[in-house]
């Protein structure tokens, strides 16, 4: 989804405030929110980490931007535990003594039908273009690189494809590629000089640069 | 019953979810506190400082670290969740790496710890990919135009650690003392490791 979480490159957020000698958790409830997520994923096995990330992304944009990191965690955990039937929403409201805002409903997502080739499709030095994609569900291809051309600088091992894993679709593993983009390629006349960005991208997000078309499935070769 | 329109305080919401899970027998009292405490102990950025110090004094370790970060960190006992595939980015005089996760706040927990608030802030996540030199300058790191700044966005499963430049004036320092001067900010790439104070 083209959600509020996909912040890379947006303007208007102001200065970055660094707290000296910052504690890991500022308040007791923050450590509970963190612990609840670890418990739900690792021990209750109620959902996976991709579903968790997507639940955070499904928060309403206004809530997302005003919530602290651990409020986003808490909201995602509660949303998923309600959706999975582990807890009951009405009981949660009663216990909280007020509203308990949850994330918005998950979109219906169909499998993409891609079968990754047995060997990595791209190699070091290859020029690749990020597909111009706008999926309804979870994806880890940030908007700011879609449609842009970069160079493969590292081939990482195969990892579970999040666009499927976040939606309970058939799990598959694909290589991910560290793709180097020049600032000029991404930001055009707003680019700073002597700057570049590397983004770690699943194979399905990428096309050979020469193909030129963002939306068309590449031909194996 | 009409739903309340005012959100309960966030702490109250967290306690409500804990109570509900306890009531349903999915959670033991004290279990969440134990998870959080164990995580704070296991995921400590000072682990990363020890990796950096070792790499500064041991050229063979440095080579292993840059070739296979996961294995080299595990050599020192640092492995686990969010550290399954660690790639170490070498800061060089002419090329300065800086780490971000623009879409959430992914971090190499075993060596960088649970991330600080500034790293998780919308401002850092939005801005550093687009105007890194300005962001670093605002955060106190002024790099000349001749130094390329390369931003690494943690969008998939690789977790990054910056191997900072060893500051001048540290030639005779022990590995232990070197680990003490490494900062978390330097291992994310928003600072350099400061040279030790004269006479310190």
């Amino acid at each position: 989804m083209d959600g509020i979480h996909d912040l890379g490159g947006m303007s208007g957020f102001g200065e970055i405030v660094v707290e000296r000698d910052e504690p890991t958790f500022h308040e007791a409830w923050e450590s509970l929110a963190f612990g609840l997520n670890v418990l739900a994923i690792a021990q209750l096995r109620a959902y996976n980490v991709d579903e968790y990330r997507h639940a955070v992304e499904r928060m309403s944009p206004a809530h997302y931007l005003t919530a602290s990191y651990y409020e986003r965690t808490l909201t995602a955990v509660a949303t998923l535990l309600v959706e999975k039937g582990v807890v009951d929403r009405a009981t949660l409201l009663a216990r909280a003594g007020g509203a308990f805002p949850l994330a918005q409903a998950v979109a219906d997502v169909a499998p993409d039908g891609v079968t990754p080739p047995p060997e990595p499709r791209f190699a070091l030095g290859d020029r690749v273009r990020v597909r111009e994609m706008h999926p309804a569900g979870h994806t880890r291809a940030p908007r700011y690189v879609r449609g842009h051309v970069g160079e493969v600088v590292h081939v990482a091992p195969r990892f579970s494809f999040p666009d499927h894993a976040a939606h309970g679709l058939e799990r598959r593993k694909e290589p991910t590629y560290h793709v180097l983009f020049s600032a000029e390629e991404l930001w055009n006349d707003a680019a700073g000089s002597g700057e570049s960005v590397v983004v770690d991208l699943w194979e399905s997000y990428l096309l050979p640069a020469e193909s030129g078309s963002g939306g068309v499935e590449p031909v194996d070769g | 019953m009409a739903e309340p329109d005012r959100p309960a305080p966030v702490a109250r919401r967290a306690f409500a979810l804990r109570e509900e899970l306890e009531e349903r027998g999915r959670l033991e009292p004290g279990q969440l506190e134990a998870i959080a405490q164990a995580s704070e102990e296991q995921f400590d950025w000072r682990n990363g400082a020890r990796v950096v110090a070792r790499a500064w004094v041991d050229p063979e370790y440095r080579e292993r670290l840059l070739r296979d970060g996961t294995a080299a960190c595990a050599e020192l006992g640092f492995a686990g969740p969010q550290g399954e595939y660690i790639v170490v980015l070498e800061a060089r005089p002419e090329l300065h790496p800086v780490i971000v996760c623009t879409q959430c706040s992914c971090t190499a927990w075993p060596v960088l710890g649970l991330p600080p608030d500034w790293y998780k802030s919308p401002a850092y996540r939005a801005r550093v990919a687009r105007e890194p030199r300005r962001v670093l300058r605002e955060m106190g790191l002024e790099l000349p135009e001749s130094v390329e700044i390369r931003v690494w966005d943690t969008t998939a499963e690789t977790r990054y650690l910056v191997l900072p430049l060893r500051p001048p004036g540290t030639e005779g320092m022990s590995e232990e003392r070197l680990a003490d001067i490494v900062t978390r900010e330097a291992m994310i790439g928003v600072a350099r490791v400061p040279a030790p104070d004269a006479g310190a």
Side-chain angles (χ1 to χ4, degrees), chain A residues 9 19 51 106 113 137-138 214:
Chain A
E19 181 185 339
E51 291 177 288
V106 65
H138 181 61

Side-chain angles (χ1 to χ4, degrees), chain B residues 44-131:
Chain B
D44 188 338
W45 65 265
R46 291 168 194 84
N47 298 342
R50 290 177 54 196
V51 169
V52 169
R54 173 68 56 88
W56 281 348
V57 300
D58 181 344
E60 288 176 9
Y61 181 78
R62 178 193 186 92
E63 197 191 315
R64 290 201 295 284
L65 182 68
L66 293 172
R67 196 175 57 233
D68 184 347
T70 322
C73 290
E75 268 185 53
L76 301 191
F78 310 134
Q82 298 296 309
E84 289 90 350
Y85 186 66
I86 297 173
V87 167
V88 175
L89 309 170
E90 180 188 27
R92 301 202 298 259
E94 76 288 357
L95 180 63
H96 182 88
V98 56
I99 305 168
V100 66
C101 172
T102 59
Q103 297 183 100
C104 48
S105 297
C106 295
T107 317
W109 288 0
V111 284
L112 281 174
L114 302 179
D117 275 359
W118 65 261
Y119 181 87
K120 298 180 285 193
S121 69
Y124 182 72
R125 290 166 46 199
R127 293 183 56 204
V128 77
R130 170 144 163 193
E131 45 178 7

Side-chain angles (χ1 to χ4, degrees), chain A residues 16-29:
Chain A
I16 294 142
V17 180
V18 179
E19 181 185 339
R20 287 179 66 87
D21 302 319
E22 183 182 334
T24 304
F25 302 109
H26 290 77
E27 296 180 47
W29 71 267

Side-chain angles (χ1 to χ4, degrees), chain A residues 160-176:
Chain A
S160 171
F161 184 56
D163 305 40
H164 271 195
H167 293 276
L169 299 171
E170 188 186 355
R171 302 291 285 261
R172 70 164 188 257
K173 290 187 169 183
E174 296 181 4
T176 71

Side-chain angles (χ1 to χ4, degrees), chain A residues 5-11 13-19 22 24-26 29 31-32 34-36 38-39 43-44 50 53 63-65 69-72 74-75 77-78 81 85-89 91-93 95-101 139-142 144 153-157 159 176 178 180 187 190 193-202, chain B residues 1 3-21 23-24 26-27 31-33 35-36 39-40 43 82 84-85 87 95 101-106 109 114-118 120-127 129-135 138-139 145 147-160 184-185:
Chain A
H5 67 284
D6 190 5
L7 290 168
M10 289 177 73
S11 303
F13 284 94
E15 73 173 316
I16 294 142
V17 180
V18 179
E19 181 185 339
E22 183 182 334
T24 304
F25 302 109
H26 290 77
W29 71 267
S31 64
L32 296 187
F34 172 82
L36 282 164
V38 173
L39 174 98
Q43 292 173 34
L44 302 180
D50 301 290
R53 289 199 186 109
H63 187 199
Y64 183 99
L65 286 177
Y69 178 80
Y70 285 114
E71 182 177 350
R72 296 199 295 270
L74 176 70
T75 305
V77 174
L81 292 181
V86 178
V87 298
D88 173 68
R89 183 159 182 268
T91 323
L92 218 48
L93 289 179
R95 284 192 192 278
F100 197 138
T139 189
R140 294 288 287 181
Y144 74 88
V153 293
H154 181 81
V155 182
F159 292 109
T176 71
H178 299 180
L180 171 66
W187 314 116
S193 71
E195 298 174 354
S196 54
V197 184
V198 176
V199 182
D200 193 3
L201 296 161
W202 269 270
Chain B
M1 186 185 91
E3 292 211 357
D5 51 10
R6 186 187 294 268
V10 62
R12 194 55 239 152
R13 283 178 260 154
F15 296 139
L17 185 54
R18 177 177 64 176
E19 283 168 23
E20 182 62 12
L21 286 166
E23 189 70 24
R24 288 170 174 255
R26 309 301 295 269
L27 175 60
Q31 201 177 348
L32 297 181
E33 290 82 350
I35 290 172
S39 299
E40 270 197 88
F43 307 125
Q82 298 296 309
E84 289 90 350
Y85 186 66
V87 167
L95 180 63
C101 172
T102 59
Q103 297 183 100
C104 48
S105 297
C106 295
W109 288 0
L114 302 179
D117 275 359
W118 65 261
K120 298 180 285 193
S121 69
Y124 182 72
R125 290 166 46 199
R127 293 183 56 204
R130 170 144 163 193
E131 45 178 7
R133 197 175 303 273
R134 182 190 298 258
V135 165
E138 284 179 19
M139 295 179 81
E145 293 278 329
V147 178
E148 179 183 340
I149 302 176
R150 185 165 293 176
V151 180
W152 295 74
D153 192 352
T154 313
T155 44
E157 302 299 340
T158 303
R159 296 292 173 269
Y160 300 105
R184 173 161 64 182
E185 281 67 32

